[in-house]
Amino acid sequence: MTPRNSTLDARVPPGPLENKWERFRRDMKLVNPANKRKHKILVVGSGLAGGSAAATLGELGYEVDCFCFQDSPRRAHSIAAQGGINAGKNYQGDGDSVWRLFYDTVKGGDFRSREANVHRLALLSRNIIDQCVAQGVPFAREYGGLLANRSFGGAQVSRTFYARGQTGQQLLLGAYQALERQIGAGQVKMHSRTELLDVVVVDGRARGILTRDLVTGRVSRWAGDAVVMATGGYGRVFYLSTNAMGCNVTATYRAYKRGAFFANPCYTQIHPTCIPVHGEKQSKLTLMSESLRNDGRIWVPKKAGDNRAPDQIPEDERDYYLERKYPSFGNLAPRDIASRSAKEACDDGRGVGHGRRGVFLDFRDAIQRLGQDEIEARYGNLFDMYRRITDENPYQSPMRIYPASHYTMGGLWVDYHLMSNLKGLFVLGEANFSDHGANRLGASALMQGLADGYFVIPDTLGHYLGGDKPEPVSTDHPEFKRCEDELHDKVKTLLSIKGKRSPASFHRELGLVMWEKCGMARTAAGLKEALKKIPEIRAEFWENLSVPGTNAEFNQSLEEAGRVADFLEFAELMCLDALTRDESCGGHFREEHQTKDGEAVRNDKDFCHASAWEHKGPGQPPVEHREKLEFENVALATRSYK
Amino acid sequence: MNLTLHVWRQKNAQADGRLETYNVADISPDSSFLEMLDELNEQLLTSGQEPVAFDSDCREGICGMCSLVINGVPHGPDRGATVCQLHMRKFTDGDAIWIEPWRAKAFPVLKDLICDRTSFDRIIQAGGYVSVNTGSAQDANALPIAKPAADKAFEAATCIGCGACVAACKNASAMLFVSAKVVHLAELPQGQAERQKRAKDMVQQMDTEGFGNCTNQYECEAVCPKEIPADFIATLNREYVRAGVTASE
Amino acid sequence: MRGLNRQKRPNRLLQLAGSSIGGKWIMALTGAFLLFFLLMHLYANLLVFAGPEQLNGYAIGLRANPLIIWGGRGAVLVAFVVHIAYAIKLTGENREARPVSYQHEATVQASWGSRYMLLTGGLIAAYVVFHLLHFTFHVVDTGGMDWEAGTIDPYSMVLAGFKHPLISLSYLAAQVVLFFHLHHAVGSMFQTVGLGALRAKKAVSLALPALICGGYSLVPLAIWFGVVK
């Protein structure tokens, strides 16, 4: 398998980093206002990225059709982001700048992202806050009436804007309201409870999609001049994750099967402060804001198999492992480090709670120092949430936490214009791979989704339409029929297996394999094992799946089966990528590549690139293309949080 | 835990529905209510029967997708929580539990426990926004907003649009939902330009959708998972009449 | 623009009156007027304790001014009719808003009074008719009025009327019903016109009805226990 890089042109504008976006805007093609309404744009997904894109494209006058599988665009999983959104505003005068936000993001991504994209993200971050405030997003404010900021995820400046613990919700509602305004004005047609099931490619361009109406089961063809995909991440490949039940890889994976390259699927982020698994039947994990780590101390018993209650374990028999290993950052060590350390402690048999997969997050000292009232003021809602879920009182006994899959940095490969290698397919937000490299900083996901949707796509899409002037295509084109026939065959097969096992049971089985072998720490041997195991699960899936009912009705099992089928294929690609990337970086930790202290060891000589995978047809191994990452403005450094 | 479930089953929007009784066994008290339903569905699926359709997505109480009436109470017995946040330890072994969908003319049932809440989206379309195109915003700190106003706006903006207020209201009224959005935007300087028109248009759309009339019984506030106070409805009443009497169009 | 109601109605006030919130306002305003009438009526009733001259004097004074008596009666009648008509309209709409009811009904915090407004309202309306037939039209005659003489003596009429146990008991029962109706009505009124915090409303909605219904009940009780002779 020889990697190729001939086909990947990132189309980064020339010139100094600071001027690249301006340079692009200077040279970009425009679409005449009267012509915009002649262009139909299909926006798939209505979260922060898709919703803001659909709204803005509608405002500009394009004819937009927007699709989401939920019952309303307001439900997209962007809503669950708690912490905040970064912006290089420097309102606190503490030395922040666009450059510093850019640098922190590149460094946080462990030097595996594209410089030019990240710089643009930092630049546009400031406009996002302006836009959102104008929409009425109720950010936290100081008594003087100005916006409040906090430092988040160990950042040295206070650049995070927030709305209590519901920043994602408030930002999404801002985008949702802008979108609804366009729907009311007739500029955007919204298709909720509608799932994308295929991307139709005509003459090498994405020219349409196939959707299934989840209520009636009807499959529809949509032709357009461009497809904008903002369908989120694939964290549910682990089955248990902090993602919503409906989050899936189907849209991006089916685009991949139609020729779009999938980049860096092995980059996943595991969030350290989630509530641990309570049992086999669990469906979903709940994240608690990592702001808890500001005051909570993380520890496990020193002795393996210690069954004493936490208050029975004396101080000198506790291992505050993050403070011990990373004296300067302590409990605020980055997400990947904190997660991996928890896993190591539990692998040692020193974990606590159900299945010994948990560590203590202890507020005893903080309560003594600050008083219970202060802790309640800071974290009251999180403590309540913990108590509701676990039925334990975290004011009295320490919380138990464990890492969980949370965000995926990998996604469809896109160039500087956020266009995939498939012309006319634009990919925004978590669905693309571009801005976070191998690891995402806290409060950066919201920033990226909105930068892509509000500010990047309106310009780059116009440039595409104005420059390439795609020929009209109708849904009568034979390619639509071919794709629809394939789709019907697939659905028919899913319904005709009539086996004994539910789609969820296969998903859970796959998730366990992925979590064990391709989760927080990976080895070549483990990945090979997974690559052997996944096809076996997939084979049984196609023989022993139970999907009652028909296609022509509201059929949640059928929806789920289709998504699980895609996860079962995608998981293999993910393991292959993890195996191929023979280095440790960011969220991708290969046990073979670590210092004797357990630090990740990057290999910049051989792996300073993005791996973009090309589908070669069923049964064929995918082909890797490499986009070399050039760092002209920052020096590749080794992260150190000691 | 062993439980008897009386679950509303309805094939589609046109069909008549009925309560069906199921038994589930060995439910962990640490399970969430929805995980308990997952188990019921697993049981139905493996025996080739159609699982119970219900909505849920984030399962952490913020997306507003889940929508079950449990023993007559939307989102079940826990106050200030969605049903996905409800845990089985709140029930007792041997309990019989009635599970029904939201019921309102404006929320027609699509299947089993799933209803169509797009009427809420249309109410927002009628005016639940600030008309500001992308790119035309001034600097975010150019306009200070007093903290109490910002906090009140935030409190109103926490509405997750789940529709429990409608489901709980004896008259299936959507006043709490509408008032939350009207108050959110009326509290902020950005919302002033369209303040009167917004109140008028949103209420008019609410009426058109076939929601009932508020009779001040405050069932909405009692079941709201975000505990949005019915005081906001009083504000809406005032805003609406002021708009009706003085609005220029 | 599916479903969006963008048609402009000609008259702003008509539009208000036809809307759900307009309907609430009309219920609240007519209710407020009826409440005012109840308070005025209560004032007159309590004159019983001041003796026959006071009460009869008040009645004679009222009758001497046709504008007040007929204007007042007309206004109360209009308020009653509008209040009842809107109650029927709104309740009809409310029933329509939930075509399929819950199989398992439950109530979390709605007060008893709030849930049976139509019932209590209907009972009150029925009692008012009886009350008018009794004290105003004298179709139900319990004595105490000397029609031949043509003198106005409400004091004797009231005393004679409440001497009848059935009259007194039904009157007291009506006060209980009225209390439940007013208990919800008063708080509702403040809520509808957008006044006051909920807690204050809850206090007033107990105190004011208690005052009114308690005040009314004093008269038959005083007559029965011989305080007023």
Side-chain angles (χ1 to χ4, degrees), chain B residues 103 169 213 216 218-219 238 244, chain C residues 12 94 98 109-110 188 194:
Chain B
R103 294 219 183 270
C169 176
N213 305 295
N216 308 321
Y218 315 127
E219 286 288 282
R238 211 167 49 216
Chain C
R12 176 183 295 177
N94 291 344
R98 177 163 294 138
Q109 68 173 22
S188 234

Side-chain angles (χ1 to χ4, degrees), chain A residues 204-216:
Chain A
R205 288 170 194 266
R207 294 312 305 270
I209 58 172
L210 296 181
T211 61
R212 181 173 178 271
D213 180 327
L214 299 181
V215 179
T216 62

Side-chain angles (χ1 to χ4, degrees), chain A residues 65-370:
Chain A
D65 279 84
C66 184
F67 305 83
C68 72
F69 71 79
Q70 298 93 342
D71 73 333
S72 161
R74 69 179 296 150
R75 315 244 186 256
H77 198 58
S78 310
I79 207 161
Q82 298 170 0
I85 177 167
N86 287 333
K89 281 282 199 185
N90 193 30
Y91 279 161
Q92 307 306 320
D94 56 358
D96 198 14
S97 61
V98 168
W99 176 267
R100 195 171 289 277
L101 175 55
F102 153 73
Y103 181 77
D104 287 355
T105 308
V106 169
K107 181 185 174 210
D110 220 359
F111 305 96
R112 289 294 176 264
S113 45
R114 191 187 288 144
E115 263 191 352
N117 284 53
V118 179
H119 190 272
R120 176 179 62 191
L121 175 67
L123 192 70
L124 294 175
S125 68
R126 301 173 305 172
N127 305 49
I128 296 172
I129 304 303
D130 298 343
Q131 179 63 25
C132 294
V133 166
Q135 289 171 341
V137 169
F139 284 119
R141 286 177 184 270
E142 308 288 357
Y143 277 99
L146 299 182
L147 291 158
N149 291 117
R150 62 184 173 200
S151 157
F152 195 78
Q156 287 174 298
V157 290
S158 292
R159 62 160 75 104
T160 303
F161 294 78
Y162 60 100
R164 235 171 277 176
Q166 313 182 350
T167 318
Q169 184 196 10
Q170 296 310 324
L171 294 174
L172 182 66
L173 291 181
Y176 160 74
Q177 286 164 203
L179 175 60
E180 290 297 335
R181 175 173 157 241
Q182 293 307 310
I183 297 170
Q187 281 298 126
V188 177
K189 287 194 194 67
M190 188 70 215
H191 310 275
S192 57
R193 293 199 194 268
T194 303
E195 186 173 29
L196 177 143
L197 288 184
D198 211 344
V199 177
V200 181
V201 181
V202 177
D203 299 332
R205 288 170 194 266
R207 294 312 305 270
I209 58 172
L210 296 181
T211 61
R212 181 173 178 271
D213 180 327
L214 299 181
V215 179
T216 62
R218 209 181 68 195
V219 171
S220 304
R221 305 172 180 183
W222 306 88
D225 293 325
V227 177
V228 177
M229 203 175 261
T231 53
Y234 47 85
R236 289 252 312 153
V237 71
F238 296 109
Y239 183 67
L240 283 180
S241 79
T242 65
N243 284 8
M245 302 306 286
C247 292
N248 64 75
V249 75
T250 290
T252 45
Y253 190 72
R254 298 206 179 169
Y256 161 76
K257 286 178 90 170
R258 294 293 176 198
F261 295 172
F262 210 112
N264 302 335
C266 76
Y267 291 162
T268 56
Q269 184 170 76
I270 311 292
H271 196 287
T273 52
C274 300
I275 298 176
V277 178
H278 65 67
E280 314 306 317
K281 304 291 172 60
Q282 192 159 353
S283 60
K284 136 106 203 171
L285 297 172
T286 303
L287 177 147
M288 293 185 294
S289 168
E290 64 185 332
S291 62
L292 286 171
R293 292 199 280 144
N294 289 337
D295 287 308
R297 298 181 69 194
I298 295 173
W299 63 278
V300 290
K302 280 187 176 161
K303 203 168 63 190
D306 195 333
N307 282 327
R308 287 175 291 176
D311 57 353
Q312 299 301 312
I313 301 176
E315 202 58 26
D316 60 353
E317 292 179 42
R318 300 175 172 197
D319 179 13
Y320 295 90
Y321 56 85
L322 285 177
E323 297 171 24
R324 172 172 59 80
K325 294 200 292 195
Y326 307 97
S328 66
F329 273 73
N331 295 299
L332 290 172
R335 290 177 174 178
D336 55 327
I337 290 175
S339 298
R340 217 156 46 234
S341 301
K343 178 181 188 297
E344 282 161 16
C346 296
D347 287 347
D348 280 354
R350 298 189 291 142
V352 295
H354 178 85
R356 294 204 178 282
R357 297 318 269 182
V359 299
F360 289 124
L361 175 63
D362 202 335
F363 285 83
R364 185 194 61 185
D365 297 349
I367 290 173
Q368 269 169 17
R369 190 178 72 237
L370 301 164

Side-chain angles (χ1 to χ4, degrees), chain A residues 77 233-249 268 270 277-286 403-408 501-516 518-519 537 541 560-561 563-568 570-571 574, chain B residues 31-32 34-39 41-42 45 54 56-60:
Chain A
H77 198 58
Y234 47 85
R236 289 252 312 153
V237 71
F238 296 109
Y239 183 67
L240 283 180
S241 79
T242 65
N243 284 8
M245 302 306 286
C247 292
N248 64 75
V249 75
T268 56
I270 311 292
V277 178
H278 65 67
E280 314 306 317
K281 304 291 172 60
Q282 192 159 353
S283 60
K284 136 106 203 171
L285 297 172
T286 303
S405 154
H406 172 57
Y407 187 89
T408 55
R501 286 182 59 185
S502 68
S505 73
F506 289 103
H507 196 172
R508 196 177 291 131
E509 189 181 351
L510 172 72
L512 279 176
V513 172
M514 293 304 285
W515 185 241
E516 280 305 310
C518 199
I537 304 173
F541 175 88
E560 197 181 1
R563 293 170 193 165
V564 174
D566 289 330
F567 273 127
L568 281 166
F570 169 76
M574 192 172 147
Chain B
S31 281
S32 74
L34 298 184
E35 284 164 359
M36 184 275 293
L37 285 182
D38 288 343
E39 281 195 57
N41 278 345
E42 187 77 31
L45 261 170
F54 64 92
S56 86
D57 203 27
C58 79
R59 295 208 177 181
E60 50 188 270

